[in-house]
Amino acid sequence: TEESSNYHDNDDDGVIALNDVDQQDDQQVKEQQQQHDKTTQGICLLFLSAFLFSFMGMFLQFTARMGLPSTELVFIRSVFQGTFVVIGMLIFRVDADQSNNSSKSA
């Protein structure tokens, strides 16, 4: 009876394993959850970038009023932003082999 409880007869067309159907459903739910998580993360990053961009403008106006030359402002901004870009590149590193394989399959 254990074997019959794991299987479902589908109008004599064949036997379908219920465990396989459950695994497929679980996989679909996991994929949908991952997609939802990526969408949520993307929206959060969008708002964060908008906030930081406006924050940067505020600080640039503040430092310009203090009398810093525009060339120094550009240099300081480049160093500050470059630091975050390098950190982001290190955190979200993509191997060259991985990027080549994904471009071939597309």
Side-chain angles (χ1 to χ4, degrees):
T1 60
E2 286 182 29
E3 291 178 14
S4 63
S5 67
N6 288 334
Y7 292 96
H8 173 68
D9 191 9
N10 190 8
D11 296 333
D12 296 332
D13 290 338
V15 177
I16 299 173
L18 289 180
N19 289 338
D20 291 340
V21 173
D22 289 342
Q23 288 175 355
Q24 289 173 352
D25 289 343
D26 289 344
Q27 183 66 23
Q28 288 176 348
V29 169
K30 286 179 185 178
E31 289 174 4
Q32 289 175 350
Q33 183 65 36
Q34 288 174 348
Q35 183 65 31
H36 182 265
D37 290 345
K38 286 182 180 180
T39 303
T40 304
Q41 182 184 15
I43 291 171
C44 289
L45 289 174
L46 179 75
F47 283 116
L48 179 66
S49 67
F51 173 75
L52 290 176
F53 190 77
S54 63
F55 204 62
M56 176 194 64
M58 183 184 71
F59 274 116
L60 285 175
Q61 286 182 358
F62 177 71
T63 54
R65 289 182 185 155
M66 290 178 54
L68 246 59
S70 61
T71 52
E72 286 184 33
L73 289 175
V74 170
F75 176 75
I76 292 169
R77 189 176 90 180
S78 299
V79 169
F80 185 72
Q81 289 177 339
T83 303
F84 284 108
V85 168
V86 170
I87 290 170
M89 289 172 63
L90 291 173
I91 291 173
F92 299 107
R93 180 177 297 183
V94 177
D95 293 333
D97 295 335
Q98 183 181 9
S99 63
N100 287 337
N101 290 338
S102 65
S103 64
K104 289 178 183 178
S105 63

